[in-house]
Amino acid sequence: EVDRNNMLGLPGSRSAKNEVVYQVAKLPEPVTRMQNFVTELFENVHHLLSHFCTNIGNEFYHQPNLATDLGQSVFANLPGLPDFRLRAMNRTFFKSFINKCP
């Protein structure tokens, strides 16, 4: 494998000066990792709610305080969301929520 890396000139191969060049894999910064986690959580919650609307149907819509709970959680900060997040919510949750409403 070292010979193959030398032929291709990839990092980790020996250079002409016989120095080993190591490329350190950069781990994402903690802030980036947290942003990715929150973004994925946001999207997964909307996919989960969409599946509830589609698969559970009437039982989901007849939950006590459904409107209040959704208003306090999902619809709480709509004016503060960027457009690309609203589009994702429209595609995943709102579309199923409205289409499957009894």
Side-chain angles (χ1 to χ4, degrees):
E1 186 166 323
V2 173
D3 291 334
R4 185 178 72 84
N5 288 346
N6 282 335
M7 295 286 276
L8 295 173
L10 296 174
S13 63
R14 295 191 179 265
S15 65
K17 298 178 184 177
N18 290 332
E19 296 175 6
V20 178
V21 179
Y22 293 102
Q23 181 178 4
V24 177
K26 290 179 93 175
L27 294 175
E29 297 289 325
V31 172
T32 305
R33 290 176 56 204
M34 184 57 79
Q35 287 173 340
N36 290 340
F37 172 76
V38 170
T39 300
E40 294 219 4
L41 183 65
F42 179 83
E43 292 174 0
N44 289 339
V45 164
H46 288 100
H47 281 286
L48 184 66
L49 287 171
S50 172
H51 286 292
F52 285 163
C53 296
T54 305
N55 297 330
I56 297 176
N58 288 338
E59 293 176 24
F60 174 72
Y61 289 100
H62 291 295
Q63 291 297 315
N65 300 325
L66 177 68
T68 306
D69 293 340
L70 287 177
Q72 291 175 350
S73 59
V74 177
F75 305 125
N77 194 19
L78 288 181
L81 287 176
D83 288 343
F84 67 95
R85 294 270 181 250
L86 287 174
R87 274 187 240 115
M89 284 177 65
N90 283 337
R91 268 183 283 133
T92 57
F93 174 59
F94 290 150
K95 185 176 177 182
S96 297
F97 185 70
I98 292 171
N99 285 338
K100 304 296 181 183
C101 186

